[in-house]
Amino acid sequence: QGQLVESGGGLVQAGGSLRLSCAAPGIMFSLYAMGWYRQAPGKERELIAQITNGGDTNYVDSVKGRFTISRDNDKNMVYLQMNNLKADDAAVYYCHAIPGVGPWGQGTQVTVSS
């Protein structure tokens, strides 16, 4: 109940789609904007999509138009719909509040084959 739990990753061909899910602690979910972050091998973790409590969204340019972040306020869930996946999208994906203060979940691995 007090942890972030990501799921939905896997192996997908380039051009394919995945939907990631994140269960977040209620207090975090109610107080903060939420975001999806990713970390590729040898790179720093980066925030790629964010959504406010009111549902306003923002994306980094590299995923804009392909990824969609959403949240279910009744279930304390955050989702990331990823379409037209590319090799550069391969990474471990995490969700967290913005800013990402406190423990992180284990993340979910996304692998994209060309």
Side-chain angles (χ1 to χ4, degrees):
Q1 191 171 3
Q3 295 178 327
L4 289 153
V5 181
E6 301 92 349
S7 62
L11 173 64
V12 63
Q13 286 188 330
S17 298
L18 284 174
R19 186 183 190 228
L20 307 183
S21 299
C22 170
I27 187 67
M28 174 188 295
F29 198 87
S30 64
L31 292 179
Y32 296 100
M34 295 295 296
W36 281 98
Y37 302 72
R38 70 184 180 187
Q39 186 168 21
K43 296 186 177 180
E44 293 187 354
R45 184 153 45 199
E46 63 169 337
L47 175 64
I48 61 167
Q50 55 186 292
I51 185 166
T52 66
N53 287 354
D56 293 330
T57 59
N58 197 22
Y59 304 89
V60 295
D61 287 345
S62 60
V63 307
K64 199 172 294 183
R66 300 187 298 121
F67 291 10
T68 303
I69 188 172
S70 61
R71 63 191 290 163
D72 185 329
N73 292 334
D74 291 332
K75 297 181 179 178
N76 296 340
M77 296 289 293
V78 186
Y79 305 99
L80 186 68
Q81 177 66 44
M82 306 188 296
N83 297 328
N84 191 20
L85 282 159
K86 303 177 180 180
D88 287 346
D89 296 320
V92 180
Y93 284 71
Y94 304 86
C95 72
H96 210 302
I98 298 171
V101 177
W104 291 76
Q106 292 188 329
T108 186
Q109 177 73 52
V110 172
T111 304
V112 183
S113 64
S114 56

